[in-house]
Amino acid sequence: MTMISAQSGQVGSPLLNLAVFAGFVAITLYVVYRASNRNTSTADYYAAGSAFTGSQNGIALTGDYLSAASFLGIAGAIAVHGYDGFLYSIGFLVAWLVALLLVAELVRNTGRFTMGDVLAYRMRQRPVRAAAATSTLVISFFYMLAQMAGAGGLVALLLDVHGKGGQALVICVVGLIMIFYVLVGGMKGTTWVQIIKATLLVLCVVLMTVFLLGKFGFSVSALLDEAAANNANGRRVLEPGAQYGATATSRLDFVSLSLALILGAAALPHVLMRFYTVPNAAQARRSAVWAIGCMAVFYLATLVIGYGASALVGSDRILASTGKENSAAPLLAFEIGGTLLLGIVAAVAFATILAVVAGLTLTASASFAHDVYANIFRGGKADPRSEVRVARLTAVVVGVLAMIGGVLANGQNVAFLVALAFAFAASANLSTLLYSLFWKRFNTTGTLWGMYGGLASCLLLVFFSPVVSGAPTSIFAGVDFHLFPLTNPGIVSIPISFLAGYLGTVLSKEKADLALQKEMTVRSLTGIRS
Protein backbone atom coordinates (compact mmCIF):
# COMPACT_ATOMS: atom_id res chain seq x y z
CA MET A 1 0.00 0.00 0.00
CA THR A 2 2.90 2.38 0.44
CA MET A 3 4.19 1.93 -3.09
CA ILE A 4 3.27 3.40 -6.44
CA SER A 5 1.52 0.75 -8.45
CA ALA A 6 2.67 0.64 -12.05
CA GLN A 7 -0.61 -0.81 -13.20
CA SER A 8 -3.00 1.63 -11.57
CA GLY A 9 -0.92 4.76 -11.00
CA GLN A 10 -1.95 4.65 -7.37
CA VAL A 11 0.16 6.72 -5.02
CA GLY A 12 0.65 5.88 -1.37
CA SER A 13 -2.08 4.53 0.85
CA PRO A 14 -5.64 5.55 -0.15
CA LEU A 15 -6.76 4.76 3.42
CA LEU A 16 -4.24 7.14 4.97
CA ASN A 17 -4.95 9.84 2.38
CA LEU A 18 -8.68 9.54 3.06
CA ALA A 19 -8.07 9.78 6.82
CA VAL A 20 -6.04 12.97 6.39
CA PHE A 21 -8.76 14.45 4.16
CA ALA A 22 -11.42 13.60 6.70
CA GLY A 23 -9.34 15.08 9.55
CA PHE A 24 -8.90 18.39 7.77
CA VAL A 25 -12.59 18.59 6.84
CA ALA A 26 -13.63 17.81 10.44
CA ILE A 27 -11.37 20.52 11.90
CA THR A 28 -12.42 23.19 9.41
CA LEU A 29 -16.12 22.33 9.74
CA TYR A 30 -15.77 22.86 13.49
CA VAL A 31 -14.02 26.21 12.91
CA VAL A 32 -16.75 27.28 10.48
CA TYR A 33 -19.47 26.26 12.93
CA ARG A 34 -17.85 28.21 15.79
CA ALA A 35 -17.48 31.28 13.56
CA SER A 36 -21.12 31.21 12.42
CA ASN A 37 -22.78 32.50 15.60
CA ARG A 38 -23.11 36.11 14.37
CA ASN A 39 -24.06 35.70 10.73
CA THR A 40 -27.43 37.43 10.95
CA SER A 41 -26.62 40.80 9.34
CA THR A 42 -25.32 41.40 5.83
CA ALA A 43 -22.14 42.99 7.24
CA ASP A 44 -21.43 39.79 9.21
CA TYR A 45 -22.23 37.42 6.35
CA TYR A 46 -20.49 39.33 3.52
CA ALA A 47 -17.61 41.10 5.29
CA ALA A 48 -17.20 39.39 8.70
CA GLY A 49 -18.11 42.71 10.34
CA SER A 50 -14.81 44.18 9.00
CA ALA A 51 -13.22 42.71 12.12
CA PHE A 52 -10.00 41.18 10.74
CA THR A 53 -6.60 42.86 11.01
CA GLY A 54 -4.41 43.58 8.00
CA SER A 55 -2.06 40.70 8.78
CA GLN A 56 -4.91 38.23 9.27
CA ASN A 57 -6.60 39.38 6.09
CA GLY A 58 -3.30 39.29 4.20
CA ILE A 59 -2.85 35.63 5.11
CA ALA A 60 -6.50 34.99 4.17
CA LEU A 61 -5.91 36.80 0.86
CA THR A 62 -2.97 34.47 0.30
CA GLY A 63 -5.29 31.54 0.96
CA ASP A 64 -7.92 32.91 -1.40
CA TYR A 65 -5.42 33.60 -4.17
CA LEU A 66 -3.19 30.52 -3.92
CA SER A 67 -5.57 28.09 -5.50
CA ALA A 68 -5.21 24.58 -6.88
CA ALA A 69 -3.67 26.30 -9.91
CA SER A 70 -0.85 27.67 -7.79
CA PHE A 71 -0.04 24.48 -5.94
CA LEU A 72 -0.85 21.74 -8.44
CA GLY A 73 -0.97 23.46 -11.83
CA ILE A 74 2.15 25.63 -11.60
CA ALA A 75 4.30 22.89 -10.05
CA GLY A 76 3.14 20.60 -12.87
CA ALA A 77 3.74 23.22 -15.55
CA ILE A 78 7.31 23.79 -14.30
CA ALA A 79 7.93 20.03 -14.00
CA VAL A 80 6.87 19.43 -17.61
CA HIS A 81 7.72 22.71 -19.41
CA GLY A 82 10.40 24.15 -17.14
CA TYR A 83 11.10 27.88 -17.37
CA ASP A 84 7.90 28.60 -19.33
CA GLY A 85 5.83 27.06 -16.54
CA PHE A 86 7.46 29.46 -14.05
CA LEU A 87 6.01 32.36 -16.05
CA TYR A 88 2.68 31.60 -14.36
CA SER A 89 4.32 32.26 -10.97
CA ILE A 90 5.84 35.53 -12.15
CA GLY A 91 2.54 36.74 -13.57
CA PHE A 92 0.50 35.78 -10.52
CA LEU A 93 2.94 37.57 -8.17
CA VAL A 94 3.63 40.74 -10.19
CA ALA A 95 -0.13 41.17 -10.58
CA TRP A 96 -0.34 42.14 -6.92
CA LEU A 97 1.54 45.37 -7.56
CA VAL A 98 -1.44 46.56 -9.62
CA ALA A 99 -3.79 45.62 -6.80
CA LEU A 100 -1.63 47.31 -4.15
CA LEU A 101 -0.91 50.53 -6.03
CA LEU A 102 -4.20 51.19 -7.85
CA VAL A 103 -7.07 49.25 -6.31
CA ALA A 104 -6.90 47.99 -2.71
CA GLU A 105 -7.26 51.22 -0.73
CA LEU A 106 -9.68 52.94 -3.13
CA VAL A 107 -12.01 49.95 -3.37
CA ARG A 108 -12.02 49.50 0.42
CA ASN A 109 -12.98 53.15 0.96
CA THR A 110 -15.63 53.35 -1.76
CA GLY A 111 -17.66 50.14 -1.44
CA ARG A 112 -19.31 48.11 1.29
CA PHE A 113 -19.63 44.47 0.22
CA THR A 114 -19.15 43.87 -3.52
CA MET A 115 -17.44 45.21 -6.64
CA GLY A 116 -20.86 46.48 -7.76
CA ASP A 117 -20.82 49.00 -4.89
CA VAL A 118 -17.79 50.71 -6.45
CA LEU A 119 -18.91 50.57 -10.08
CA ALA A 120 -22.45 51.79 -9.33
CA TYR A 121 -21.43 54.57 -6.92
CA ARG A 122 -21.85 57.42 -9.42
CA MET A 123 -23.76 55.53 -12.15
CA ARG A 124 -27.34 54.40 -12.67
CA GLN A 125 -27.73 51.61 -10.13
CA ARG A 126 -29.87 48.98 -11.84
CA PRO A 127 -28.00 48.37 -15.14
CA VAL A 128 -24.52 48.70 -13.62
CA ARG A 129 -25.20 46.40 -10.69
CA ALA A 130 -26.74 43.85 -13.08
CA ALA A 131 -23.59 44.00 -15.24
CA ALA A 132 -21.32 43.68 -12.17
CA ALA A 133 -23.27 40.66 -10.93
CA THR A 134 -23.15 39.02 -14.37
CA SER A 135 -19.39 39.55 -14.60
CA THR A 136 -18.83 38.24 -11.06
CA LEU A 137 -20.85 35.09 -11.69
CA VAL A 138 -19.06 34.29 -14.98
CA ILE A 139 -15.57 34.88 -13.56
CA SER A 140 -16.33 32.90 -10.38
CA PHE A 141 -17.69 30.02 -12.47
CA PHE A 142 -14.53 29.77 -14.60
CA TYR A 143 -12.32 29.99 -11.51
CA MET A 144 -14.35 27.25 -9.83
CA LEU A 145 -13.96 25.03 -12.90
CA ALA A 146 -10.23 25.03 -12.27
CA GLN A 147 -10.61 24.12 -8.59
CA MET A 148 -13.09 21.33 -9.31
CA ALA A 149 -10.89 19.94 -12.08
CA GLY A 150 -7.99 19.97 -9.61
CA ALA A 151 -10.12 18.14 -7.05
CA GLY A 152 -11.00 15.42 -9.55
CA GLY A 153 -7.42 14.83 -10.65
CA LEU A 154 -5.91 15.00 -7.17
CA VAL A 155 -8.32 12.69 -5.42
CA ALA A 156 -8.38 10.31 -8.38
CA LEU A 157 -4.64 9.93 -7.96
CA LEU A 158 -4.60 9.69 -4.17
CA LEU A 159 -7.66 7.52 -3.60
CA ASP A 160 -7.04 5.30 -6.63
CA VAL A 161 -10.27 6.38 -8.37
CA HIS A 162 -9.81 6.02 -12.13
CA GLY A 163 -13.30 5.88 -13.65
CA LYS A 164 -14.95 9.12 -14.80
CA GLY A 165 -17.97 8.27 -12.66
CA GLY A 166 -15.87 7.92 -9.51
CA GLN A 167 -14.06 11.20 -10.19
CA ALA A 168 -17.40 12.93 -10.81
CA LEU A 169 -18.58 11.66 -7.41
CA VAL A 170 -15.42 13.08 -5.77
CA ILE A 171 -16.06 16.48 -7.39
CA CYS A 172 -19.64 16.46 -6.10
CA VAL A 173 -18.48 15.66 -2.54
CA VAL A 174 -16.05 18.61 -2.69
CA GLY A 175 -18.89 20.80 -3.92
CA LEU A 176 -21.20 19.76 -1.08
CA ILE A 177 -18.58 20.45 1.62
CA MET A 178 -17.86 23.84 0.06
CA ILE A 179 -21.57 24.74 0.03
CA PHE A 180 -21.75 23.86 3.74
CA TYR A 181 -18.80 26.17 4.50
CA VAL A 182 -20.57 29.08 2.81
CA LEU A 183 -24.06 28.40 4.14
CA VAL A 184 -22.96 28.09 7.76
CA GLY A 185 -19.78 30.16 8.10
CA GLY A 186 -20.28 33.15 5.79
CA MET A 187 -17.25 35.40 5.34
CA LYS A 188 -15.98 34.93 8.91
CA GLY A 189 -15.93 31.13 8.74
CA THR A 190 -14.51 31.18 5.20
CA THR A 191 -11.76 33.61 6.25
CA TRP A 192 -10.61 31.38 9.11
CA VAL A 193 -10.54 28.40 6.73
CA GLN A 194 -8.40 30.51 4.35
CA ILE A 195 -5.98 31.46 7.18
CA ILE A 196 -5.57 27.82 8.25
CA LYS A 197 -5.14 26.70 4.66
CA ALA A 198 -2.63 29.44 3.73
CA THR A 199 -0.48 28.72 6.79
CA LEU A 200 -0.43 24.98 6.03
CA LEU A 201 0.25 25.57 2.33
CA VAL A 202 3.22 27.92 2.80
CA LEU A 203 4.72 25.71 5.53
CA CYS A 204 4.23 22.64 3.35
CA VAL A 205 5.98 24.06 0.27
CA VAL A 206 8.85 25.48 2.34
CA LEU A 207 9.43 22.10 4.03
CA MET A 208 9.23 20.28 0.68
CA THR A 209 11.76 22.75 -0.76
CA VAL A 210 14.20 22.18 2.11
CA PHE A 211 13.84 18.37 1.90
CA LEU A 212 14.29 18.50 -1.87
CA LEU A 213 17.38 20.70 -1.84
CA GLY A 214 18.80 18.45 0.90
CA LYS A 215 18.62 15.48 -1.50
CA PHE A 216 20.92 17.38 -3.88
CA GLY A 217 23.33 18.64 -1.21
CA PHE A 218 21.69 22.07 -1.33
CA SER A 219 23.11 22.53 -4.84
CA VAL A 220 20.61 24.20 -7.17
CA SER A 221 22.83 23.41 -10.17
CA ALA A 222 22.74 19.68 -9.39
CA LEU A 223 18.93 19.86 -9.09
CA LEU A 224 18.57 21.63 -12.45
CA ASP A 225 20.95 19.23 -14.22
CA GLU A 226 18.97 16.24 -12.97
CA ALA A 227 15.68 17.94 -13.93
CA ALA A 228 16.91 18.44 -17.50
CA ALA A 229 18.18 14.85 -17.67
CA ASN A 230 14.76 13.42 -16.70
CA ASN A 231 12.62 15.71 -18.87
CA ALA A 232 11.45 14.95 -22.40
CA ASN A 233 12.46 18.47 -23.45
CA GLY A 234 16.02 18.03 -22.19
CA ARG A 235 17.98 21.17 -21.36
CA ARG A 236 15.35 23.31 -23.09
CA VAL A 237 13.43 23.30 -19.79
CA LEU A 238 16.15 25.53 -18.31
CA GLU A 239 15.56 28.35 -20.77
CA PRO A 240 12.58 30.18 -22.33
CA GLY A 241 10.73 28.62 -25.22
CA ALA A 242 9.98 24.99 -24.31
CA GLN A 243 6.24 25.67 -24.31
CA TYR A 244 5.75 29.12 -25.84
CA GLY A 245 8.73 29.63 -28.14
CA ALA A 246 8.22 27.10 -30.93
CA THR A 247 6.03 29.25 -33.24
CA ALA A 248 4.94 32.87 -33.64
CA THR A 249 1.47 31.85 -32.42
CA SER A 250 2.81 30.32 -29.22
CA ARG A 251 4.91 33.44 -28.52
CA LEU A 252 1.83 35.61 -29.02
CA ASP A 253 -0.07 33.25 -26.71
CA PHE A 254 2.58 33.90 -24.06
CA VAL A 255 2.14 37.68 -24.36
CA SER A 256 -1.62 37.22 -24.08
CA LEU A 257 -1.23 34.99 -21.01
CA SER A 258 1.10 37.52 -19.35
CA LEU A 259 -1.36 40.38 -19.89
CA ALA A 260 -4.21 38.33 -18.43
CA LEU A 261 -2.24 37.27 -15.34
CA ILE A 262 -0.77 40.69 -14.53
CA LEU A 263 -3.96 42.69 -15.12
CA GLY A 264 -6.50 40.13 -13.91
CA ALA A 265 -5.68 39.86 -10.19
CA ALA A 266 -6.69 43.44 -9.39
CA ALA A 267 -10.12 42.79 -10.92
CA LEU A 268 -10.96 39.38 -9.43
CA PRO A 269 -14.26 39.79 -7.52
CA HIS A 270 -13.32 37.43 -4.66
CA VAL A 271 -10.03 39.31 -4.12
CA LEU A 272 -11.75 42.71 -4.18
CA MET A 273 -14.41 41.52 -1.74
CA ARG A 274 -11.79 40.50 0.79
CA PHE A 275 -10.66 44.11 1.24
CA TYR A 276 -13.99 44.81 2.96
CA THR A 277 -13.17 42.47 5.85
CA VAL A 278 -10.72 45.00 7.38
CA PRO A 279 -11.78 48.15 9.29
CA ASN A 280 -9.95 50.81 7.24
CA ALA A 281 -7.80 51.58 4.20
CA ALA A 282 -4.51 51.34 6.11
CA GLN A 283 -5.34 47.75 7.00
CA ALA A 284 -6.34 47.09 3.37
CA ARG A 285 -2.87 48.22 2.23
CA ARG A 286 -1.30 46.14 4.99
CA SER A 287 -3.32 43.14 3.77
CA ALA A 288 -1.86 43.49 0.27
CA VAL A 289 1.70 43.82 1.61
CA TRP A 290 1.32 40.69 3.77
CA ALA A 291 -0.18 38.81 0.84
CA ILE A 292 2.71 39.79 -1.47
CA GLY A 293 5.28 38.63 1.12
CA CYS A 294 3.61 35.25 1.67
CA MET A 295 3.16 34.68 -2.05
CA ALA A 296 6.75 35.56 -2.89
CA VAL A 297 7.92 32.79 -0.55
CA PHE A 298 5.38 30.38 -2.02
CA TYR A 299 6.16 31.03 -5.69
CA LEU A 300 9.93 30.74 -5.17
CA ALA A 301 9.28 27.38 -3.52
CA THR A 302 7.16 26.21 -6.49
CA LEU A 303 10.16 26.75 -8.77
CA VAL A 304 12.22 24.29 -6.72
CA ILE A 305 9.29 21.87 -6.37
CA GLY A 306 8.55 21.93 -10.11
CA TYR A 307 12.13 21.25 -11.17
CA GLY A 308 12.41 18.75 -8.31
CA ALA A 309 9.45 16.81 -9.67
CA SER A 310 11.12 16.74 -13.08
CA ALA A 311 14.36 15.52 -11.50
CA LEU A 312 13.01 12.82 -9.20
CA VAL A 313 9.76 11.76 -10.90
CA GLY A 314 10.37 12.62 -14.55
CA SER A 315 8.10 14.37 -17.04
CA ASP A 316 7.04 11.13 -18.77
CA ARG A 317 5.80 9.56 -15.53
CA ILE A 318 3.99 12.76 -14.54
CA LEU A 319 2.12 12.94 -17.87
CA ALA A 320 1.30 9.22 -17.69
CA SER A 321 -0.28 9.50 -14.22
CA THR A 322 -3.99 9.90 -13.55
CA GLY A 323 -3.86 13.64 -12.86
CA LYS A 324 -1.23 14.39 -15.54
CA GLU A 325 0.54 17.74 -14.83
CA ASN A 326 -1.62 18.32 -11.74
CA SER A 327 -0.12 15.29 -10.00
CA ALA A 328 3.53 16.46 -10.12
CA ALA A 329 3.55 17.82 -6.54
CA PRO A 330 1.86 14.75 -4.94
CA LEU A 331 4.16 12.38 -6.86
CA LEU A 332 7.19 14.35 -5.70
CA ALA A 333 5.96 14.34 -2.10
CA PHE A 334 5.74 10.55 -2.19
CA GLU A 335 9.21 10.36 -3.71
CA ILE A 336 10.94 12.46 -1.03
CA GLY A 337 8.85 11.71 2.07
CA GLY A 338 6.90 8.53 1.45
CA THR A 339 3.29 7.96 2.42
CA LEU A 340 3.32 10.37 5.37
CA LEU A 341 4.48 13.44 3.41
CA LEU A 342 2.13 12.48 0.59
CA GLY A 343 -0.77 12.43 3.05
CA ILE A 344 0.18 15.91 4.32
CA VAL A 345 0.53 17.32 0.79
CA ALA A 346 -2.77 15.69 -0.16
CA ALA A 347 -4.52 17.32 2.77
CA VAL A 348 -3.02 20.74 1.97
CA ALA A 349 -3.98 20.47 -1.71
CA PHE A 350 -7.47 19.37 -0.75
CA ALA A 351 -7.70 22.25 1.73
CA THR A 352 -6.58 24.62 -1.02
CA ILE A 353 -9.38 23.51 -3.31
CA LEU A 354 -12.08 23.58 -0.61
CA ALA A 355 -11.11 27.00 0.73
CA VAL A 356 -10.80 28.72 -2.64
CA VAL A 357 -14.07 27.31 -3.95
CA ALA A 358 -15.82 28.38 -0.74
CA GLY A 359 -14.49 31.93 -1.19
CA LEU A 360 -15.61 32.02 -4.82
CA THR A 361 -19.06 30.71 -3.97
CA LEU A 362 -19.47 33.30 -1.23
CA THR A 363 -18.47 36.08 -3.64
CA ALA A 364 -20.85 34.92 -6.37
CA SER A 365 -23.76 34.53 -3.95
CA ALA A 366 -23.06 37.90 -2.28
CA SER A 367 -22.98 39.65 -5.65
CA PHE A 368 -26.33 38.23 -6.70
CA ALA A 369 -28.01 38.81 -3.33
CA HIS A 370 -26.58 42.31 -2.72
CA ASP A 371 -26.42 43.74 -6.25
CA VAL A 372 -29.40 42.04 -7.91
CA TYR A 373 -31.86 41.13 -5.15
CA ALA A 374 -31.29 43.94 -2.62
CA ASN A 375 -30.47 46.85 -4.94
CA ILE A 376 -32.31 45.99 -8.17
CA PHE A 377 -35.37 44.02 -7.08
CA ARG A 378 -35.77 45.72 -3.67
CA GLY A 379 -34.42 49.15 -4.54
CA GLY A 380 -31.84 49.08 -1.76
CA LYS A 381 -34.46 48.46 0.94
CA ALA A 382 -34.18 44.70 1.42
CA ASP A 383 -34.43 43.22 4.89
CA PRO A 384 -30.93 42.01 5.92
CA ARG A 385 -32.20 38.57 6.95
CA SER A 386 -33.98 38.03 3.62
CA GLU A 387 -30.87 39.21 1.76
CA VAL A 388 -28.71 36.69 3.61
CA ARG A 389 -31.32 34.00 2.84
CA VAL A 390 -31.10 34.80 -0.87
CA ALA A 391 -27.29 34.72 -0.69
CA ARG A 392 -27.39 31.24 0.85
CA LEU A 393 -29.85 29.98 -1.78
CA THR A 394 -27.63 31.40 -4.53
CA ALA A 395 -24.64 29.62 -2.98
CA VAL A 396 -26.43 26.29 -3.43
CA VAL A 397 -27.23 27.03 -7.09
CA VAL A 398 -23.68 28.22 -7.83
CA GLY A 399 -22.26 25.16 -6.07
CA VAL A 400 -24.34 22.76 -8.17
CA LEU A 401 -23.32 24.53 -11.40
CA ALA A 402 -19.66 24.35 -10.30
CA MET A 403 -19.98 20.59 -9.77
CA ILE A 404 -21.39 20.11 -13.28
CA GLY A 405 -18.70 22.32 -14.84
CA GLY A 406 -15.98 20.58 -12.85
CA VAL A 407 -17.04 17.19 -14.19
CA LEU A 408 -16.81 18.54 -17.77
CA ALA A 409 -13.42 20.25 -17.20
CA ASN A 410 -11.84 17.29 -15.37
CA GLY A 411 -8.36 16.56 -16.76
CA GLN A 412 -7.47 20.11 -17.85
CA ASN A 413 -4.38 21.80 -16.37
CA VAL A 414 -5.76 23.92 -13.54
CA ALA A 415 -3.22 26.74 -13.95
CA PHE A 416 -4.34 27.11 -17.53
CA LEU A 417 -8.04 27.24 -16.52
CA VAL A 418 -7.34 29.88 -13.86
CA ALA A 419 -5.49 31.96 -16.47
CA LEU A 420 -8.77 32.05 -18.39
CA ALA A 421 -10.57 33.37 -15.30
CA PHE A 422 -7.90 36.08 -15.03
CA ALA A 423 -8.51 37.00 -18.67
CA PHE A 424 -12.24 37.35 -17.97
CA ALA A 425 -11.55 39.51 -14.90
CA ALA A 426 -9.13 41.80 -16.73
CA SER A 427 -11.45 42.06 -19.73
CA ALA A 428 -14.72 42.70 -17.92
CA ASN A 429 -13.76 44.51 -14.71
CA LEU A 430 -10.38 46.24 -14.80
CA SER A 431 -11.21 48.92 -17.38
CA THR A 432 -14.45 49.90 -15.66
CA LEU A 433 -12.85 49.93 -12.20
CA LEU A 434 -9.99 52.18 -13.29
CA TYR A 435 -12.24 54.46 -15.35
CA SER A 436 -14.71 54.74 -12.44
CA LEU A 437 -11.97 55.63 -9.96
CA PHE A 438 -9.83 57.93 -12.11
CA TRP A 439 -11.84 59.37 -15.08
CA LYS A 440 -14.26 62.21 -14.30
CA ARG A 441 -16.19 61.94 -17.57
CA PHE A 442 -16.88 58.20 -17.31
CA ASN A 443 -20.61 57.40 -17.33
CA THR A 444 -23.11 54.55 -17.18
CA THR A 445 -23.02 53.85 -20.93
CA GLY A 446 -19.23 53.55 -20.82
CA THR A 447 -19.48 51.19 -17.84
CA LEU A 448 -21.93 48.90 -19.64
CA TRP A 449 -20.03 48.96 -22.93
CA GLY A 450 -16.74 48.22 -21.15
CA MET A 451 -18.06 45.36 -19.03
CA TYR A 452 -20.29 43.65 -21.57
CA GLY A 453 -17.87 44.31 -24.45
CA GLY A 454 -14.95 42.79 -22.57
CA LEU A 455 -16.98 39.88 -21.22
CA ALA A 456 -18.67 39.03 -24.54
CA SER A 457 -15.45 39.27 -26.57
CA CYS A 458 -13.65 37.06 -24.05
CA LEU A 459 -16.42 34.44 -24.06
CA LEU A 460 -16.60 34.45 -27.86
CA LEU A 461 -12.85 34.10 -28.33
CA VAL A 462 -12.60 31.29 -25.75
CA PHE A 463 -15.50 29.42 -27.39
CA PHE A 464 -13.79 29.54 -30.80
CA SER A 465 -10.31 28.83 -29.43
CA PRO A 466 -8.36 25.55 -28.98
CA VAL A 467 -9.55 25.56 -25.35
CA VAL A 468 -12.95 24.24 -26.47
CA SER A 469 -12.16 22.36 -29.71
CA GLY A 470 -9.50 21.50 -32.25
CA ALA A 471 -6.66 20.29 -30.01
CA PRO A 472 -5.90 17.07 -28.11
CA THR A 473 -6.26 18.93 -24.79
CA SER A 474 -9.55 20.66 -25.74
CA ILE A 475 -12.70 20.21 -23.67
CA PHE A 476 -14.35 18.70 -26.78
CA ALA A 477 -11.31 17.00 -28.31
CA GLY A 478 -13.23 15.08 -30.97
CA VAL A 479 -14.48 18.12 -32.91
CA ASP A 480 -12.86 21.19 -34.45
CA PHE A 481 -14.67 24.51 -34.86
CA HIS A 482 -11.90 26.77 -33.53
CA LEU A 483 -11.27 30.03 -35.42
CA PHE A 484 -9.13 31.95 -32.90
CA PRO A 485 -5.58 30.48 -32.63
CA LEU A 486 -4.66 31.55 -29.08
CA THR A 487 -5.59 29.67 -25.91
CA ASN A 488 -5.76 32.88 -23.86
CA PRO A 489 -7.77 35.78 -25.36
CA GLY A 490 -6.42 38.56 -23.11
CA ILE A 491 -4.33 40.28 -25.79
CA VAL A 492 -7.53 40.99 -27.77
CA SER A 493 -10.33 41.13 -25.19
CA ILE A 494 -8.58 43.44 -22.65
CA PRO A 495 -7.96 46.25 -25.19
CA ILE A 496 -11.52 45.77 -26.50
CA SER A 497 -12.85 46.39 -22.98
CA PHE A 498 -10.83 49.60 -22.51
CA LEU A 499 -11.78 50.82 -26.00
CA ALA A 500 -15.47 49.96 -25.53
CA GLY A 501 -15.56 51.82 -22.19
CA TYR A 502 -13.94 54.86 -23.79
CA LEU A 503 -16.18 54.88 -26.88
CA GLY A 504 -19.33 54.28 -24.82
CA THR A 505 -18.49 57.35 -22.75
CA VAL A 506 -17.47 59.77 -25.51
CA LEU A 507 -20.22 58.76 -27.94
CA SER A 508 -22.99 58.84 -25.31
CA LYS A 509 -25.00 62.01 -24.75
CA GLU A 510 -25.28 61.09 -21.08
CA LYS A 511 -23.41 63.44 -18.76
CA ALA A 512 -21.41 62.20 -15.79
CA ASP A 513 -22.70 63.20 -12.36
CA LEU A 514 -19.87 65.55 -11.32
CA ALA A 515 -21.19 66.00 -7.78
CA LEU A 516 -21.17 62.24 -7.17
CA GLN A 517 -17.81 61.99 -8.89
CA LYS A 518 -16.28 64.50 -6.47
CA GLU A 519 -17.90 62.73 -3.53
CA MET A 520 -16.52 59.39 -4.75
CA THR A 521 -13.02 60.87 -5.13
CA VAL A 522 -13.02 62.23 -1.58
CA ARG A 523 -14.40 59.00 -0.21
CA SER A 524 -11.98 56.77 -2.14
CA LEU A 525 -8.96 58.78 -0.97
CA THR A 526 -9.97 59.42 2.64
CA GLY A 527 -12.54 56.77 3.59
CA ILE A 528 -14.85 59.53 4.91
CA ARG A 529 -18.48 58.51 4.45
CA SER A 530 -21.29 61.08 4.21
Side-chain angles (χ1 to χ4, degrees):
M1 291 296 282
T2 58
M3 298 175 60
I4 300 181
S5 161
Q7 289 78 21
S8 68
Q10 175 191 319
V11 182
S13 162
L15 218 74
L16 177 63
N17 297 335
L18 186 61
V20 178
F21 287 163
F24 175 81
V25 171
I27 292 167
T28 51
L29 286 178
Y30 176 73
V31 169
V32 166
Y33 174 75
R34 288 298 301 267
S36 68
N37 57 349
R38 289 187 64 249
N39 274 334
T40 53
S41 72
T42 50
D44 290 329
Y45 189 76
Y46 297 150
S50 298
F52 285 95
T53 65
S55 55
Q56 288 174 328
N57 194 51
I59 297 171
L61 264 171
T62 305
D64 231 342
Y65 193 69
L66 297 180
S67 62
S70 302
F71 190 38
L72 302 177
I74 293 177
I78 294 171
V80 174
H81 305 294
Y83 182 94
D84 285 10
F86 186 54
L87 296 172
Y88 281 103
S89 296
I90 296 169
F92 284 142
L93 182 59
V94 171
W96 273 90
L97 295 178
V98 180
L100 175 63
L101 297 175
L102 295 178
V103 171
E105 179 180 353
L106 304 181
V107 165
R108 168 63 188 80
N109 286 341
T110 307
R112 289 184 66 221
F113 302 133
T114 66
M115 180 183 67
D117 289 339
V118 180
L119 296 178
Y121 191 95
R122 59 188 181 97
M123 311 297 175
R124 284 184 280 122
Q125 295 282 312
R126 292 172 67 90
V128 172
R129 284 191 181 275
T134 302
S135 167
T136 297
L137 289 167
V138 171
I139 293 163
S140 298
F141 178 72
F142 269 88
Y143 216 117
M144 280 191 279
L145 283 188
Q147 310 312 313
M148 293 301 198
L154 175 74
V155 183
L157 178 76
L158 299 170
L159 300 187
D160 199 23
V161 178
H162 300 285
K164 287 291 183 185
Q167 292 180 32
L169 181 62
V170 166
I171 289 171
C172 290
V173 170
V174 171
L176 290 172
I177 296 170
M178 164 266 296
I179 289 171
F180 182 84
Y181 281 166
V182 175
L183 291 182
V184 175
M187 179 57 87
K188 183 179 283 187
T190 304
T191 299
W192 281 113
V193 172
Q194 300 286 18
I195 290 171
I196 294 168
K197 165 250 171 154
T199 304
L200 288 173
L201 182 59
V202 173
L203 283 174
C204 180
V205 296
V206 168
L207 287 173
M208 282 184 70
T209 300
V210 173
F211 290 160
L212 193 54
L213 289 173
K215 274 188 171 287
F216 290 89
F218 292 94
S219 169
V220 176
S221 298
L223 170 65
L224 294 178
D225 287 340
E226 188 68 20
N230 282 338
N231 195 290
N233 289 309
R235 296 200 68 82
R236 289 180 61 217
V237 296
L238 305 181
E239 58 191 34
Q243 183 176 11
Y244 292 113
T247 64
T249 300
S250 65
R251 287 192 289 271
L252 197 60
D253 216 353
F254 161 65
V255 176
S256 188
L257 171 69
S258 301
L259 276 174
L261 295 182
I262 292 170
L263 298 179
L268 287 170
H270 68 292
V271 168
L272 294 173
M273 189 173 172
R274 190 153 286 291
F275 289 122
Y276 299 126
T277 64
V278 291
N280 53 53
Q283 294 298 323
R285 287 196 304 274
R286 195 176 176 209
S287 297
V289 171
W290 267 81
I292 290 171
C294 293
M295 289 176 205
V297 172
F298 174 85
Y299 284 125
L300 284 172
T302 60
L303 180 64
V304 177
I305 289 170
Y307 275 121
S310 179
L312 296 181
V313 182
S315 62
D316 292 339
R317 192 167 130 210
I318 291 168
L319 291 172
S321 67
T322 307
K324 297 186 172 61
E325 289 181 24
N326 301 330
S327 52
L331 287 169
L332 175 65
F334 184 81
E335 200 70 33
I336 62 176
T339 307
L340 181 61
L341 184 59
L342 173 67
I344 294 169
V345 169
V348 170
F350 194 60
T352 298
I353 292 163
L354 278 176
V356 173
V357 173
L360 288 164
T361 305
L362 180 63
T363 302
S365 62
S367 181
F368 181 84
H370 182 65
D371 292 325
V372 178
Y373 172 76
N375 285 284
I376 295 178
F377 293 163
R378 296 293 182 184
K381 298 176 182 177
D383 172 61
R385 289 182 181 275
S386 66
E387 188 177 334
V388 171
R389 259 198 315 274
V390 170
R392 286 175 167 150
L393 181 62
T394 307
V396 175
V397 175
V398 169
V400 171
L401 290 175
M403 292 179 211
I404 296 169
V407 171
L408 292 174
N410 192 15
Q412 294 281 326
N413 180 291
V414 288
F416 160 72
L417 286 172
V418 164
L420 283 184
F422 273 64
F424 276 102
S427 302
N429 298 343
L430 186 65
S431 64
T432 49
L433 271 172
L434 295 182
Y435 282 152
S436 294
L437 292 167
F438 298 108
W439 187 18
K440 291 180 181 179
R441 193 177 169 186
F442 196 49
N443 60 24
T444 300
T445 304
T447 304
L448 298 178
W449 281 33
M451 292 197 80
Y452 286 128
L455 194 63
S457 62
C458 203
L459 274 170
L460 196 66
L461 291 172
V462 168
F463 184 75
F464 288 109
S465 76
V467 174
V468 176
S469 72
T473 55
S474 299
I475 293 174
F476 301 108
V479 293
D480 184 1
F481 50 82
H482 90 281
L483 303 172
F484 182 67
L486 307 182
T487 56
N488 194 294
I491 196 170
V492 177
S493 58
I494 296 171
I496 284 176
S497 174
F498 276 91
L499 182 62
Y502 173 78
L503 291 177
T505 300
V506 298
L507 297 178
S508 168
K509 295 179 180 179
E510 180 184 9
K511 299 295 182 184
D513 190 326
L514 292 181
L516 272 179
Q517 189 275 327
K518 290 176 182 176
E519 183 183 315
M520 181 178 179
T521 300
V522 172
R523 182 163 167 174
S524 66
L525 293 175
T526 65
I528 297 172
R529 297 171 185 259
S530 56

